[in-house]
Amino acid sequence: MVKKNDLILIGVILIIGIGALLFMYLNNEAGSKVSVQMNGEEIITFDLDEDITYTIEGDNGAWNTFTIKDGHVDMIDASCPDKICVNHKDIHYDHETITCLPNQVLLEIIGGEENPIDSIAN
Ligand SMILES: [Zn+2]
């Protein structure tokens, strides 16, 4: 026999539970950043929830242009001869990186979503 008060209690617990999950989810997303490093030093960071196009300029005229869109970071153009960084797939998950060796540029995701492939491997 379920009483009316029990139903209200269950409802309240459900709402708190969903609220907590939502809060954790939003918090996680808000904390996701991309760290832009040059010559091993972080020069700037961006939140993954802002959509931007940014060009990193080096001392010797080297440059790398990347975009952030829908939480994904992608190198779209660069002055380097090999274009390995440009051809790299976009990055989104925690600790994923795009490296441009000739220009000594590194993009790294900080505090992003856990990579589902890593989770399976672990
Ligand atoms: Zn490159």
Side-chain angles (χ1 to χ4, degrees):
M1 188 68 185
V2 181
K3 290 183 203 135
K4 195 183 168 197
N5 281 350
D6 291 344
L7 285 177
I8 291 169
L9 189 66
I10 291 166
V12 167
I13 290 168
L14 275 178
I15 289 165
I16 291 171
I18 291 166
L21 279 177
L22 205 63
F23 180 77
M24 273 157 42
Y25 177 76
L26 290 175
N27 235 18
N28 182 33
E29 287 292 292
S32 305
K33 288 188 186 334
V34 58
S35 165
V36 179
Q37 294 161 38
M38 181 173 262
N39 301 318
E41 283 184 42
E42 184 174 270
I43 51 171
I44 195 166
T45 64
F46 293 98
D47 288 338
L48 287 190
D49 57 9
E50 48 185 332
D51 288 357
I52 55 128
T53 301
Y54 185 81
T55 300
I56 308 147
E57 288 175 40
D59 306 327
N60 50 357
W63 52 271
N64 292 67
T65 301
F66 70 93
T67 60
I68 305 174
K69 195 165 191 307
D70 301 328
H72 291 252
V73 179
D74 194 19
M75 194 77 84
I76 56 169
D77 207 357
S79 65
C80 59
D82 59 15
K83 298 284 189 285
I84 288 172
C85 54
V86 179
N87 291 323
H88 196 283
K89 68 178 175 67
D90 60 48
I91 55 173
H92 170 66
Y93 295 111
D94 201 12
H95 299 310
E96 277 192 307
T97 57
I98 297 177
T99 310
C100 181
L101 278 178
N103 293 356
Q104 289 289 301
V105 166
L106 176 78
L107 306 179
E108 182 177 11
I109 304 291
I110 308 284
E113 262 180 84
E114 204 170 309
N115 192 329
I117 296 163
D118 283 353
S119 305
I120 292 162
N122 292 339

